[in-house]
Amino acid sequence: MRGGAAVAATTVPAAAGEPRVGPVPVWESASPWTFSPVMRDRMRGVVHELLGHPGLKGAPDVARLAAVTLAAKTRCSDLVVRLTSRELGRWLGVGPSTVGHVVRPKLGGEYVVRSRDALLPGTNVVVGIDWQVVALWEARHQHGLDHPLRLSKPEFAVFLRLLEAVCGPGWVHADGTKTEPGLLGTRTGPGAATDRLALLLLVLEARETGVVRLRGGAVDRHGRAAATLAWLLDCETAEAATVLRRLERAGVVSVRQDGGREQVLVPAVRAAYREMRRVRRAEGRPGALVPRPRLAGDSAGGDQDSSGSVFPQVNRRKSGSRAGYGVAGHHAYHSPGATGVDQSADGGGFSGYGRADTGVMPEGTRTPEDQPTAEQPAAAAAPPPECGGGPLRGEQPKTPPTPDASDLPAAGRGAAHEPKHASERARRQPRAGLPADLRLRVALGPVAGLWRQLGGWQQDQVAAATKTELARLSSMLEQPGDAPQVLADRLTDRLAETGGETWVSTPFGWLTHRGLKQRPACSDRRCDDGIRLDTGGDCGTCGNMIHLRRAHRARIGTDLDREQPGLTDTERRQLVEARLREHTAAQAQDLARRRERAAAEQARRTAARAAAEARAERKREAEAAAAAARKALPCADCGQQRSAGLCEACGYRRRTEALIEEAGQIAATWTADLTDPADIAAVFDYVRTVLGHDIALAHEKFLTMMEQEAPGEFHGDLDPAAVTSALAFRALQTVEEVLPEYRSSALRRLARTPQAETEARRAYTAEQNRRWYRANPHGADAVAAATKAADTARTRTAQHLLDTRLAQLRQQTTTPTEQPAAAVAPWSDRLVEMAARPLDDETQLAAASA
């Protein structure tokens, strides 16, 4: 089983020194976040293959996540899943309307998913929708076993379990038990599908430590983390940065700086692996190494197929054996110069395994160990099978040999196989054949001989570089499926250019730095050694450059023939080459001058930017100093210290007085004679008396309430300044509550004035005289429309009268200024004053650059 979980065997391993009976237990993964490296790569390939479907190019994230969700929930038997729009929307974080109007038309129209309504037998009642992902069906019926979407039943289960942990909506079972939602299962609304898809991709890219592998290369101002997520989501880095911030706020992703570099961490993945290792150590099981079931007749060091019995939590790069099983490592501890010794079935993994078939001995080999000598009888030449972990030579070697995994205690078996150096990852047994991926097999077919010369780690790096180059070629070709053949043609041409595989001394360096690299001969990104990648023909841009160079050479020859007609062919060719060199040197100098000017311009802009930042900093400091000085001022009304010129209570009082003044003006607009100041003053006094009575009642009610809440403690414990501020605020609230009543009362009174009635009658008559009411001006529709127009005109007139009278009152109460306006100085005097002012930094910089 290649899944992230395996059923535990019931047989318990025997103690050290006793024979082992039955299979070695394989521990069950209790968390959906823990995977074996093989299964993680498998799930990553599935998701990227689904998202790379041509029908999902440019599709919204909710449709892309829907394709992944339907693939994870597909039944392995018939590749169909039945879901309602509401249930699918819960997985996507959207409503059923979005599924019906966006997701289903998009997936069906692009031939990504087939769907049909599922009816109750014998009726037309729709009970759900049968969905079928076309890519899964094609992978099973039209492609080979190595296709990324050719999933088995356990792989479907692992895929669904991971998706449930990320964005499962949660549900209640029939027996009353409840399944909790995933990390983002409750996230709904705009961007919910994008966040869920982003978290799924980050989980698949995370290591056992929870750290996500970031993409290399140059990045923009949003950072490497945003660039990695943008590459995964196929979006802009600005949008990816926004998604990353949302995931951080949700607490499912952590972005931090580690040694000056960005680091993206998925806490759930790290916590799951830590818990797994803790439980295994507590139960005496290996922390990272999982033994395979050893049946009767199995050898300790035999080569195992990576696709056969790969169990969860197997770290291939950190285990001592090739496939990560509980067997001895590649090399036991021995003195240098050991020769190839055939390994028996129970030999314990001595050195020499892997060279037994070739018969090639390493350099510096002395007397072979498998040949008897005078001092060593033939019986002692090769150790018997029972010697398992015996030394290679001598009675007491300086470094003890590596024991077999079966002889180790359960608690220390994992530690014994951990590599002691980082270069151990390069010692993995290489694969003899090309990768199982069909695209990689086609692309690397011309260099199959070089592939067999690579180490295990080098093969992984070449495969990753090939995948990257295939993805880049697919993005620029009209037919993305032609990318493997295009890359194979490139490798064939590069091999022919080198002289064949025989002349390649360093296969890894040649493949990564020469064979797989594109070599554009011009500025066109589709050019590769003068050949267009999309058409296979000659590059037009290269042809133009060659044409221009030939035209320039011909022009130089024509000038020479005109200037010096008697030159021989040799002299003419030498002069032409000399002038071409002069032209090239002049172009280089011109390029250098343009670069210098660009550098100077960049320096000028940098200096201007720094000066602007300095000015902004000085402005901020001045504002901060002014704010600090303003805070230190006492209150202008009551004299309270450090009140920023006005304390809280006095500020409330001023606003209250202003609102009382406004209420008096509103009341005076319809009760007083605006030409009689005494009448206006009487109205103001009346309004002030009424509002003062209301404020007093509010104060009394507030104090009574406070006394009831804390009897006997209110006057002693509370701050008097706080009580005063609270009473002032209560007074302000009272006036604010009453002011709308004064305004509405004034509008009702002004709506009954002769001016308002006149406007209402005119609007009524005008509405009746409209051409669509002339036939029946006193009908029900005409009367209703005319009444509505009259009410609107009456209200508008009342508002106009209120605004006009308020403006008149404010003008009467405002005291005119007694000082005349200062006369404007003539330009002759003003220019002299301006010329004496010092220039600021920006003006000096502009003048210097000019």
Side-chain angles (χ1 to χ4, degrees):
M1 178 177 177
R2 295 187 292 174
V7 179
T10 57
T11 304
V12 179
E18 298 182 5
R20 191 186 306 271
V21 179
V24 175
V26 179
W27 312 112
E28 179 181 3
S29 173
S31 173
W33 306 103
T34 54
F35 294 93
S36 66
V38 174
M39 179 54 70
R40 185 176 297 278
D41 294 340
R42 188 81 172 97
M43 294 296 101
R44 187 188 300 117
V46 169
V47 174
H48 285 289
E49 185 72 19
L50 286 171
L51 297 181
H53 193 279
L56 293 178
K57 293 295 183 181
D61 291 332
V62 64
R64 303 170 69 197
L65 179 61
V68 175
T69 303
L70 293 174
K73 295 182 70 64
T74 296
R75 292 191 301 264
C76 183
S77 58
D78 56 357
L79 298 181
V80 175
V81 56
R82 177 170 295 182
L83 283 176
T84 62
S85 296
R86 182 178 301 276
E87 180 64 18
L88 180 59
R90 294 180 66 223
W91 283 84
L92 306 181
V94 297
S97 177
T98 304
V99 175
H101 294 85
V102 177
V103 175
R104 191 175 183 184
K106 178 64 179 178
L107 298 181
E110 298 293 342
Y111 202 63
V112 179
V113 173
R114 303 188 190 101
S115 63
R116 64 180 180 183
D117 294 337
L119 304 178
L120 195 64
T123 64
N124 292 329
V125 179
V126 178
V127 295
I129 303 175
D130 288 336
W131 310 81
Q132 185 181 61
V133 180
V134 178
L136 294 178
W137 187 89
E138 292 178 347
R140 174 172 295 185
H141 298 284
Q142 298 180 6
H143 298 289
L145 295 175
D146 56 351
H147 195 275
L149 296 181
R150 189 73 178 266
L151 298 177
S152 62
K153 189 174 182 179
E155 290 168 343
F156 272 115
V158 173
F159 192 13
L160 178 58
R161 194 177 182 211
L162 171 62
L163 197 66
E164 289 177 354
V166 173
C167 58
W171 50 85
V172 179
H173 301 275
D175 57 356
T177 59
K178 182 179 180 181
T179 298
E180 298 296 332
L183 288 184
L184 294 179
T186 58
R187 166 80 166 91
T188 58
T194 304
D195 295 350
R196 297 180 184 210
L197 182 60
L199 179 60
L200 176 63
L201 294 173
L202 291 177
V203 168
L204 292 176
E205 295 294 331
R207 302 184 179 94
E208 292 186 5
T209 58
V211 178
V212 178
R213 295 171 292 187
L214 300 183
R215 194 184 185 194
V219 297
D220 57 7
R221 61 183 180 87
H222 296 288
R224 192 168 301 280
T228 302
L229 186 57
W231 174 69
L232 292 173
L233 289 176
D234 192 14
C235 65
E236 299 294 335
T237 54
E239 182 181 354
T242 304
V243 175
L244 204 57
R245 285 194 295 270
R246 292 202 301 261
L247 294 178
E248 281 191 272
R249 288 196 297 268
V252 297
V253 168
S254 174
V255 181
R256 60 185 181 181
Q257 295 290 332
D258 185 11
R261 296 184 301 176
E262 284 185 294
Q263 189 179 75
V264 179
L265 176 69
V266 183
V269 176
R270 181 177 64 174
Y273 278 102
R274 284 185 176 180
E275 180 65 18
M276 179 197 70
R277 289 190 289 267
R278 184 190 67 79
V279 172
R280 290 186 173 181
R281 285 195 299 267
E283 298 180 1
R285 298 183 293 180
L289 185 66
V290 176
R292 70 177 180 90
R294 177 181 296 176
L295 304 178
D298 286 355
S299 62
D303 189 12
Q304 302 293 335
D305 185 8
S306 61
S307 63
S309 299
V310 180
F311 294 98
Q313 322 332 328
V314 176
N315 194 333
R316 293 175 174 268
R317 297 187 178 183
K318 293 186 178 180
S319 61
S321 61
R322 283 184 298 179
Y325 304 132
V327 295
H330 284 312
H331 295 78
Y333 294 96
H334 57 84
S335 303
T339 175
V341 181
D342 188 14
Q343 182 180 357
S344 61
D346 296 324
F350 288 136
S351 65
Y353 174 74
R355 295 196 301 266
D357 296 335
T358 61
V360 179
M361 295 185 180
E363 297 180 1
T365 304
R366 301 176 184 86
T367 304
E369 295 178 359
D370 56 353
Q371 297 178 5
T373 61
E375 296 81 2
Q376 187 178 12
E386 299 84 15
C387 293
L392 288 177
R393 60 165 60 92
E395 296 295 335
Q396 295 179 354
K398 295 181 180 180
T399 305
T402 303
D404 185 30
S406 62
D407 299 331
L408 290 175
R413 191 177 301 137
H417 292 276
E418 287 294 329
K420 299 301 185 292
H421 196 272
S423 62
E424 188 71 19
R425 62 180 182 179
R427 304 177 187 173
R428 295 195 303 109
Q429 185 71 14
R431 296 183 293 270
L434 292 174
D437 191 348
L438 182 60
R439 290 165 57 87
L440 295 183
R441 296 178 69 89
V442 173
L444 297 176
V447 291
L450 299 180
W451 173 268
R452 288 190 291 269
Q453 301 178 32
L454 300 177
W457 178 82
Q458 292 176 340
Q459 288 180 349
D460 293 340
Q461 298 300 311
V462 171
T466 306
K467 291 180 181 179
T468 303
E469 186 64 18
L470 288 176
R472 197 180 65 84
L473 290 174
S474 299
S475 64
M476 68 175 62
L477 295 178
E478 295 181 358
Q479 299 293 334
D482 297 340
Q485 187 59 45
V486 171
L487 188 56
D489 294 342
R490 178 193 297 176
L491 291 173
T492 302
D493 295 341
R494 301 285 166 81
L495 271 181
E497 178 184 291
T498 305
E501 295 181 352
T502 308
W503 294 95
V504 179
S505 58
T506 56
F508 179 70
W510 187 90
L511 286 171
T512 55
H513 292 84
R514 185 172 182 179
L516 296 174
K517 293 294 183 181
Q518 180 181 350
R519 298 186 305 194
C522 61
S523 58
D524 194 341
R525 60 188 294 267
R526 300 166 296 181
C527 176
D528 186 17
D529 286 337
I531 300 175
R532 281 279 294 271
L533 292 174
D534 53 349
T535 61
D538 294 336
C539 178
T541 307
C542 292
N544 292 336
M545 294 176 60
I546 295 174
H547 174 73
L548 292 175
R549 292 170 183 171
R550 288 176 177 174
H552 182 67
R553 188 184 187 95
R555 186 166 56 253
I556 291 177
T558 303
D559 295 340
L560 282 176
D561 293 339
R562 186 178 62 254
E563 296 172 0
Q564 304 178 20
L567 294 175
T568 62
D569 293 341
T570 303
E571 295 174 345
R572 183 178 182 277
R573 183 171 59 255
Q574 292 177 352
L575 289 177
V576 168
E577 295 294 337
R579 293 197 179 185
L580 285 176
R581 286 193 295 270
E582 293 176 358
H583 177 70
T584 304
Q587 285 185 333
Q589 292 178 359
D590 182 66
L591 178 61
R593 283 194 298 269
R594 286 190 280 112
R595 288 181 175 176
E596 290 178 359
R597 287 197 298 268
E601 180 67 17
Q602 182 64 30
R604 186 189 68 80
R605 293 178 180 177
T606 303
R609 189 180 302 110
E613 292 177 356
R615 286 194 304 274
E617 183 64 25
R618 290 195 298 269
K619 183 178 179 181
R620 285 193 295 268
E621 293 177 355
E623 291 177 352
R630 186 170 58 253
K631 290 181 180 179
L633 293 177
C635 179
D637 293 348
C638 64
Q640 182 180 349
Q641 297 298 323
R642 302 188 62 81
S643 299
L646 191 66
C647 66
E648 186 178 17
C650 293
Y652 291 149
R653 293 192 188 99
R654 286 191 178 186
R655 292 169 59 186
T656 303
E657 289 296 330
L659 292 180
I660 292 175
E661 184 74 16
E662 184 178 356
Q665 292 176 354
I666 292 174
T669 56
W670 61 275
T671 58
D673 184 5
L674 300 185
T675 60
D676 187 1
D679 195 6
I680 296 174
V683 173
F684 276 26
D685 293 339
Y686 175 76
V687 171
R688 187 177 299 277
T689 302
V690 173
L691 292 180
H693 179 68
D694 294 342
I695 291 173
L697 291 177
H699 285 176
E700 183 179 356
K701 183 178 180 180
F702 175 77
L703 294 175
T704 302
M705 180 183 63
M706 294 299 297
E707 186 67 25
Q708 291 176 356
E709 291 183 358
E713 300 178 0
F714 175 70
H715 296 287
D717 296 342
L718 295 181
D719 186 10
V723 175
T724 303
S725 178
L727 293 176
F729 180 72
R730 184 55 184 163
L732 176 61
Q733 283 185 323
T734 303
V735 178
E736 287 178 344
E737 293 173 358
V738 175
L739 188 61
E741 298 180 2
Y742 277 84
R743 182 176 294 275
S744 60
S745 178
L747 289 175
R748 287 195 302 270
R749 297 286 183 170
L750 294 175
R752 293 197 292 267
T753 57
Q755 298 92 328
E757 293 296 338
T758 302
E759 290 294 331
R761 286 194 299 270
R762 291 176 178 175
Y764 189 92
T765 305
E767 189 68 22
Q768 281 186 328
N769 290 333
R770 293 187 181 274
R771 56 185 178 86
W772 47 81
Y773 293 137
R774 289 176 184 174
N776 188 12
H778 298 288
D781 295 339
V783 170
T787 303
K788 183 178 179 181
D791 293 340
T792 303
R794 185 181 292 106
T795 303
R796 186 168 55 249
T797 304
Q799 184 65 45
H800 173 71
L801 291 175
L802 179 61
D803 295 340
T804 303
R805 295 185 181 186
L806 283 177
Q808 183 179 354
L809 284 173
R810 293 191 183 102
Q811 185 176 6
Q812 291 177 0
T813 56
T814 303
T815 57
T817 176
E818 297 180 357
Q819 297 181 356
V824 180
W827 269 108
S828 58
D829 298 340
R830 295 169 64 188
L831 288 176
V832 173
E833 180 182 357
M834 291 180 180
R837 295 180 183 177
L839 296 176
D840 57 0
D841 298 339
E842 185 177 2
T843 309
Q844 291 178 2
L845 185 62
S849 62

